[in-house]
Amino acid sequence: METARSNNVRIRTELGDVPPAQGDPYTLQEVLFNLCSNAFAAMPQGGTLTLRTRALGGRDDDQMDSVAIEVADTGVGIPRVHLEKIFEPFFTTRADSGGTGLGLGLCRMLISEMGGRIEVRSVVEQGTVFTVVLNPPPRHSRVHTP
């Protein structure tokens, strides 16, 4: 929070009512910490970091009962030429400020291990939105008694 104050970043939450999702809460915390750290770095002049949750899918939709967690910033954005590479290990645009290029690749791997996926959309000079999509927990087979 101190970083947010010193960088003049406003933190906003839009937490929708969501069903339980498949995944490990500590792993998810690590992913969200990394995404938020990147968002702060993308807003050196300040801006807004928005954390949003929402339920996905409707009846007969393949995403039914999935959960989306968004980390959105109003930062510098990611150029289109970099979007295809950002999840590759060791790809970084912040090598001069200590970036290793491991964070987003690790995020993708961890989310994938939880059965989910990560998506990104970005507009240069407007900001970036990372969306983590987590599936519903597996349904256990029910034993029917006569």
Side-chain angles (χ1 to χ4, degrees):
M1 201 64 127
E2 196 58 42
T3 302
R5 213 172 282 127
S6 65
N7 285 344
N8 197 26
V9 173
R10 184 173 152 235
I11 300 173
R12 193 169 78 190
T13 57
E14 298 173 7
L15 306 177
D17 189 26
V18 297
Q22 180 177 322
D24 175 66
Y26 299 106
T27 301
L28 184 58
Q29 179 179 326
E30 183 175 344
V31 167
L32 294 175
F33 179 82
N34 190 317
L35 294 175
C36 288
S37 295
N38 286 351
F40 285 126
M43 298 184 285
Q45 306 303 317
T48 302
L49 169 64
T50 302
L51 302 171
R52 182 180 299 119
T53 60
R54 58 190 169 90
L56 294 179
R59 187 172 278 177
D60 298 328
D61 188 344
D62 66 341
Q63 295 189 84
M64 190 168 158
D65 295 328
S66 293
V67 172
I69 304 167
E70 294 181 351
V71 178
D73 68 63
T74 58
V76 297
I78 303 169
R80 178 174 275 176
V81 68
H82 294 290
L83 279 176
E84 294 178 16
K85 302 176 192 173
I86 61 172
F87 295 109
E88 293 177 11
F90 305 110
F91 177 80
T92 183
T93 58
R94 298 186 335 206
D96 57 335
S97 61
T100 62
L102 294 174
L104 290 175
L106 179 63
C107 285
R108 183 173 68 175
M109 182 192 76
L110 293 172
I111 293 165
S112 178
E113 287 177 355
M114 291 190 294
R117 69 181 186 279
I118 186 168
E119 303 167 352
V120 61
R121 55 188 198 279
S122 187
V123 177
V124 174
E125 300 303 325
Q126 290 184 24
T128 302
V129 179
F130 282 92
T131 304
V132 174
V133 178
L134 299 174
N135 295 320
R139 295 178 193 235
H140 299 290
S141 59
R142 295 182 183 163
V143 177
H144 296 284
T145 55

